[in-house]
């Protein structure tokens, strides 16, 4: 699976960042998202989360799914 990060400036004081499947044309159910105060914060958080998702041994879960973690 190819994951992509998207960062969007949608208000004067807010940046939205999400991580989704690069092949998914509908950005309505990402694997992760956050609202941030600055573009730098949005990029930093998204890149950190992308690294964590990439390093995980399991397939990431979408926001709408209930993920079970195996200890």
């Amino acid at each position: 699976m190819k994951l992509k990060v998207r960062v969007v400036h949608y208000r004067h004081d807010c940046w939205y960042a999400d991580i989704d499947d690069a092949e998914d044309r509908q950005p309505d159910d990402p694997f992760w998202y956050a609202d941030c105060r600055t573009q730098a914060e949005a990029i930093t958080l998204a890149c950190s989360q992308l690294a964590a998702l990439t390093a995980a041994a399991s397939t990431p879960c979408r926001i709408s799914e209930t993920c079970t973690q195996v200890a």
Side-chain angles (χ1 to χ4, degrees):
M1 175 186 317
K2 293 181 184 178
L3 297 176
K4 68 175 179 181
V5 169
R6 181 174 60 138
V7 176
V8 178
H9 189 214
Y10 72 95
R11 284 194 329 240
H12 73 281
D13 64 343
C14 197
W15 289 81
Y16 171 84
D18 70 12
I19 297 174
D20 205 350
D21 181 356
E23 305 300 322
D24 186 4
R25 293 182 174 261
Q26 286 287 89
D28 58 344
D29 193 17
F31 295 107
W32 173 88
Y33 74 95
D35 289 321
C36 303
R37 305 266 306 152
T38 67
Q39 181 184 32
E41 179 187 11
I43 292 170
T44 300
L45 282 173
C47 288
S48 295
Q49 188 64 32
L50 180 62
L53 289 173
T54 303
S58 60
T59 303
C61 293
R62 295 194 176 273
I63 297 297
S64 66
E65 299 173 339
T66 302
C67 297
T68 56
Q69 295 183 357
V70 178

